[in-house]
Each structure stands twice: as C-alpha cells, then as structure tokens.
Amino acid sequence: MVASAETSLRGIKAQRRRTLWEDAKNLPNLLTFARVLMIPAVLLLLSRGAPRDCFWAACVYSLAAITDMLDGYLARRQGLVSVLGKFLDPLADKLIVAATLVWLVPMGRIPAWAVVLLISREITITALRSIASTEGLVIAAGDGGKIKTALQMIGIVCLILGYPYRIHLGVDFGEVDVVHVGRLLIYLSLVFSITSAAQYMGLFIDAIDAKNRAAPPP
C-alpha cells in the first residue's frame, strides 16, 4: 500500500510538471517569455547610444508593449489563462519597465527620483496584492492604474528615442526633443501612480476591515 501511495504521489507530481510545461508552451506565455528576452536587446541597443540604435531600441520596446496587450487577450480568448501566466505576465512588465528606466538614469534622460518613486509604487502595490491574495481578497485595479500604464509606456518610448525628431502630423511642429515629451509623460504617470496607489491602499484597508468584522469572534 505504501509503494502504491508513493507511485501515485510520483504520478501526481509528474502530471503537475507536465501541466506546467504545457502552460509554458502555450502562445500567451511564449509571448511573455519573448517579452523578457527583449529586455537585454533594449538595453544593449540603448548602451550603444547612437540615434539609429535608440530608434531600434524604441521599436523593440514598443513590440514588447504590444505583446503585453496581446498575451492577456489571447489567454482569455483561447481559455489559456494559467497560474504560470498570472505570475509571469506582471513580472515581465515590471522587469522591462524597471530595467529600462534604471538604464536611462545615467544617460541623463530621466531623473533618479522619478524612477525610485515609480519602482517603489510597484513594489508596494505588488506586496499589497500578494497579501490580499493570501487573505482571499480580490481588489480590482482602477482606471488610474490603466492610465498610468499607458502614459508610462509612451513616455518610456520617447525617452528611449532620446534625440530630436521632426514631427509633422498635418501641422509641422518642427524639431521636437522627444526626451522632454517623455519626461512630461512620466511625470504625469507619476501623478496617476500615486493617486491610484492611494486608492488601492484605501480599498485594501476597507477590504481587510470588512473581513475582520465578518469573522466570528474567537
């Protein structure tokens, strides 16, 4: 009986490994893995510093942003939402944003204090989400977080480009220093970052209080 139980346990573990491997091979998660692999490509191109290299770095970063939108959509559309994907997707997002912003600081394109605030916000919210998950609470992200993400994405692309470009969108804006545009967008994203974080913390506290009130007395 003991041998049978051990065999059964090994079978369950093997099945779990196979399931995880199958999850790793589905298209949404492959896109997420690809996004992680794009990080060194962006940093390498940025380190070269030439306008052409920065342009291609911005293209790679933009492609990574597209995969970020695409992998979640495909996972939901094809019924491929997985625990692995739920872990990897936000991790990949935070890695590429943090790595790129940190890399841009010594290049003089973004002040260190802004990067510290952005990364601190992400760490704080991630920690709160982890606690909420442990407590069995689901706290939906607000619109402020989505606006923050959009501003941040466009702002980082502008910072990566790093050189003046002639902008003509029906009207000739002349030569525009996209670094200034990128900084402005990052500063705006900081406003939404802080306000959305404060909103999330408020919802978190309310949810914890409600759970504690509903709990039976010891």
Side-chain angles (χ1 to χ4, degrees), residues 36-168:
V36 174
L37 294 176
M38 291 180 196
I39 297 173
V42 172
L43 302 185
L44 176 62
L45 289 166
L46 270 175
S47 66
R48 294 179 177 176
R52 181 186 294 271
D53 295 317
C54 290
F55 173 80
W56 284 113
C59 290
V60 174
Y61 189 93
S62 299
L63 180 60
I66 292 171
T67 66
D68 180 27
M69 295 182 287
L70 193 58
D71 59 6
Y73 169 78
L74 289 175
R76 292 186 296 271
R77 182 71 180 269
Q78 299 178 359
L80 295 174
V81 176
S82 63
V83 173
L84 181 64
K86 290 178 181 179
F87 168 74
L88 286 177
D89 185 49
L91 177 63
D93 298 343
K94 289 171 177 55
L95 283 176
I96 193 167
V97 168
T100 304
L101 285 173
V102 168
W103 206 264
L104 289 168
V105 170
M107 299 178 73
R109 299 185 188 180
I110 187 72
W113 64 264
V115 176
V116 169
L117 282 177
L118 284 170
I119 293 177
S120 298
R121 185 265 186 195
E122 295 303 324
I123 292 173
T124 302
I125 295 302
T126 299
L128 289 177
R129 282 181 178 152
S130 177
I131 296 171
S133 177
T134 302
E135 295 293 325
L137 302 173
V138 178
I139 304 174
D143 292 334
K146 297 174 183 177
I147 296 172
K148 178 268 301 183
T149 300
L151 290 172
Q152 197 176 85
M153 181 188 71
I154 300 170
I156 291 175
V157 169
C158 290
L159 292 173
I160 291 173
L161 285 170
Y163 290 89
Y165 284 83
R166 192 171 190 85
I167 307 296
H168 193 285

